[in-house]
Amino acid sequence: MSQQGYVAAPPYSQSQPGIGGFSAGFGPPNSSPHYGHCGDPNSSYSATQPGVSKSTVPFGSSAPAGPPPPGTHQFSQTNFQNGPSTPGQQPHRFQGPPPPSNTGPSYPPYSRQSQPAYLNTASTSPTAQLVNQLNSMQINSYGPDTAPSSRMSSGHPASFQGPQLPPPTQQQITLPPGSQVPPSANNGLCAQPSLPPMARQDGIPGPVPPNPNFQQLPAQPPGPGYHPRQANYGPQMAGSQLSYPGAFPGGPPQLPGPQQKKLDPDSIPSPIQVIENDKASRGGQIYATNTRGQVPPLVTTDCVIQDQGHASPRYIRCTTYCFPLSSDMAKQARIPLAAVIQPFAIVPPNETPLYVVNHGETGPIRCNRCKAYMCPFMQFIEGGRRYQCGFCNCINDVPPFFFQHLDHIGRRVDHYERPELSLGSYEYVATLDYCRNNKPPKPPAYIFMIDVSYRNVNSGLVKLICDELKTLLDKLPREEQEESSAIRVGFVTYNKVLHFFNVKSSLAQPQMMVVSDVGEVFVPLLDGFLVNFWESRSVVINLLDQIPEMFADTNKSETIFAPVIQAGMEALKAAECAGKLFIFHSSLPTAEAPGKLRSRDDKKLLNTDKEKTLFQPQLNSYEALARDCVANGCCVNLFLFPNQYVDVASMGLVTMYTGGTLYKYNNFQLDADSPQFLSDLRKDIEKKTGFDAIMRVRTSTGFRATDFFGAIYMNNTTDVEMAAVDCDKAVTVEFKHDDKLNEDSGALIQCAVLYTSISGQRRLRIHNIGLNCSSQLADVYKTCETDALINFFAKSAFKAILSQPLKMVREILVNQTAHMLACYRKNCASPSAVSQLILPDAMKVLPVYMNCLLKSCVLVSRPEIPTDERAYHRQLVMAMGVADTQLFFYPQLLPIHSLDLKSDAVPAAIRCSEERLSEGGAFLLANGLSMFLWLGVSTPPELIQGLFNVPSFAHISTEATSLPDLDNPFSKKLKSILEHIQSQKPYTMKLIIVKQREQPEILFRQFLVEDKSIYGGASYVDFLCCVHKEICQLLS
């Protein structure tokens, strides 16, 4: 069967090494202070740079690219599977010239193989002038027949190939020569002259050339072809610019100065269009996972997923569903090869829950060599008596109890009766060999630990928590067939000392025991501390009534923190069970005790090499505490109620490493913020969770997992440890080649999670997925998924900022974006004028998402942004799955004035830009953490009456954090939309009402991510021009 291929030109020049991986575990990497993923910037385009030794390979780099040493290749699964990297080959992460930054894939457009969304058959739609020479931008879409192709006959049966995708469609945007950058780019990357090739080999950057932009005087013309525009700049402040366009400090959102015609935003790729096209073509349909390497519908598309041999995309999404055949090809394209795994993702009621396989005392069937679990990738031979492992090719005997005859096509006759042979995801009941100390585990426990310092008692928070727990404890999670929950509960209060409570069912009154030696915490009681709520109900209710009164007259304002976690962990350890701590805390722990913190919120560190310390914990003791918690299966959920700096980077560390969730309510007000907090608490307690979990990712020969990102702890290079893992947590795993792959057998991945269920049963959850492999770069680009790419880039960048300057991380992102697109243009696109920006169809919205990532508060060093807010967002994103990062970086903006009350449909979203808003409209914006209702000054009075029950715009109060319950169709419809958006996200979003031209509008505008940001981030149009200029430099 012949397949259309593309002629790939040789790589730009030399292979590029990358910046090595980060060290597993905590702290900075062992060797190189470099971006774990961002490979070396210049390498692919220039010869080896002088002065950099090639042998230093950062920890975590990939194994040698050639064949493995003799005698090892059959064992690559066991020995090298995810082992420490073998020095020798440079990692291929984001390599490119270092000065520009290359960390950023943004959301690859949703790789649908249909025509690009921006068809513009007229090849020149003259739009408008960008600055003085950017005349027109036009988009030509190249369908299957226009791109040059070499007809290659691939002799493999189609079943191995996956669906035959048409050659990549691409999007072309014309930028006339000499004008690729808008003047606003003076301060950014874009205005850089091409950088001298230096210091970018093997991920150990040497001196980076000074950024010319920082030395440019405001009145100086930015470069040939531009008129000086002094009007746009305030005085330049050294060091505060982002190194990409539009990044000057204090730049107003709208630049003063002569009115220039702008590029027509409708002529550049729209994320909304990509989302809507995918919904139109795949929404509401059944998506069957029966083909290797097929690209799933986007995360934003609702469909029914049917597991027919590969894991559902709810569990695993990949950055590309076709891996390049060799490491050389991978280095050339620079597309990260990664999977985002959400092992406990929620499955909607209309999809089948996972089957549980129980082989009794024999336990799961596994390959003798690589230890992979029985799955659809195992091939039965010799009449069914033996099977060949799909991962390491080892031939194993089939245990007698598992024997079954084969049919005429070599498949077992019980194939469809056994989940482990026919499905991509299933569970095994584990045997005692998989349990701690070979003893069956006990059901987990939840310990509630309440800060009873003066502020919390006085604000009413302590009473609120106690009242809520009385009803909430009835809703503890349980197995479907169980009548009540097996989870036991315990209670602790604290200020400068700890108070443990005995709530044994035989007691008439709860008893309090005080631990005042917080330096050496011990658990003062075992019997009666952790109890079954049903049995001790009256004593527990009695205690919850008493706590607010007991501390009503307290004057203690100082608190401890680390000893609280220590006490909870010791209690779980003594009870020999895993569990969760729910800690409700409000201030910086300044009392004399281990883990005491000082305020270190120093704005002078911004834009210096020491800025990274703001994201690191103050004390090493928090890392040690996290390690002990993971070892004892103790997960920490932290609810913070700060009204000033609390050092989230230190206090949140244990939560992050133990797979817990961090919630933060700034300046908590009982009336305004209780609904949000209580909703978060209810959702968290009811979540389906796996406890004391360990995850291992196995791969078929030729590649292996090298880096892991998430709310996880790693003691070695292969085992991902999680004290708990819930339905919202995702681990992003990066893969590298250690040999050549094979087009026939593809690239197979198996993720196994060993965990204790809420009822105390030890189980294994298995997810399998098969990807294609190709020698054609076009196939790799065609099957990319922008949303997964952005998830990967965000996590790798947010991990990198712990060890590298932010400016370098931002440059790596920009550079990486340009590299991926330049490689596509050079090797896959049809020839065209240099002035044209050509984007692969599956990545056409990558630049807009990448720009959103670059503008996120974590990567923007501005004194106006609180350090705690940056650390908080960083921690949240590290644990997010693909759907959550998609919405977080590109919010949903709905025109609610155009609600159709007659249908159930939600109005189509619009692009996140101020020019899409109208004075006569009302718009709802949500990003998973925040939700705004923006009202234009001319909003119709009937709409205002229907929503707020007040007569006019002037009467609307912006103090309200929810809409009134009104009995009219408009109000009901909007409420149902709010509930629907909310139901799909892990965090409860507090509604903020914003009136046009009033102060709070500044906050709302930060979420209009296609516009220039008030903190100096580039607009989408400017960033696209910047990337285009980088591409042109790489190709010249």
Side-chain angles (χ1 to χ4, degrees), residues 32 50 123 265 330 425 446 522 562 719 750:
S32 119
S123 40
S425 301
Y446 284 1
F522 66 97
D719 297 325
Q750 182 178 80

Side-chain angles (χ1 to χ4, degrees), residues 147-212:
S149 66
S150 57
R151 303 292 286 177
M152 309 205 39
S153 126
S154 68
H156 324 306
S159 60
F160 280 116
Q161 287 308 110
Q164 298 289 310
L165 300 167
T169 38
Q170 64 197 37
Q171 179 132 18
Q172 226 165 296
I173 301 173
T174 303
L175 299 148
S179 63
Q180 291 97 339
V181 191
S184 64
N186 287 4
N187 290 43
L189 249 179
C190 302
Q192 284 185 213
S194 63
L195 299 152
M198 65 184 294
R200 288 185 215 132
Q201 225 32 44
D202 288 53
I204 313 278
V208 172
N211 183 336

Side-chain angles (χ1 to χ4, degrees), residues 63-103:
T72 60
H73 62 286
Q74 312 96 304
F75 299 96
S76 57
Q77 262 333 89
T78 29
N79 312 351
F80 303 127
Q81 159 75 40
N82 300 326
S85 344
T86 324
Q89 172 202 329
Q90 310 92 335
H92 66 274
R93 162 37 61 330
F94 307 152
Q95 296 113 336
S101 100
N102 56 344
T103 10

Side-chain angles (χ1 to χ4, degrees), residues 514-532:
V514 180
V515 174
S516 52
D517 181 4
V518 292
E520 293 292 327
V521 177
F522 66 97
V523 181
L525 76 161
L526 290 182
D527 188 30
F529 177 61
L530 292 178
V531 298
N532 178 300

Side-chain angles (χ1 to χ4, degrees), residues 553-570:
D553 302 325
T554 186
N555 57 2
K556 297 190 170 74
S557 57
E558 284 195 312
T559 56
I560 55 176
F561 181 66
V564 180
I565 297 177
Q566 184 81 33
M569 180 193 72
E570 296 290 351

Side-chain angles (χ1 to χ4, degrees), residues 449 498 561-570 581 583 622 625 629 634 636 651 654-655:
M449 314 184 89
L498 292 149
F561 181 66
V564 180
I565 297 177
Q566 184 81 33
M569 180 193 72
E570 296 290 351
L581 311 183
I583 303 180
Y622 279 98
L625 183 56
C629 284
C634 169
V636 179
M651 294 187 71
V654 180
T655 298

Side-chain angles (χ1 to χ4, degrees), residues 283-294:
Q285 300 178 10
I286 290 179
Y287 172 74
T289 67
N290 54 4
T291 311
R292 193 182 78 198
Q294 62 184 341

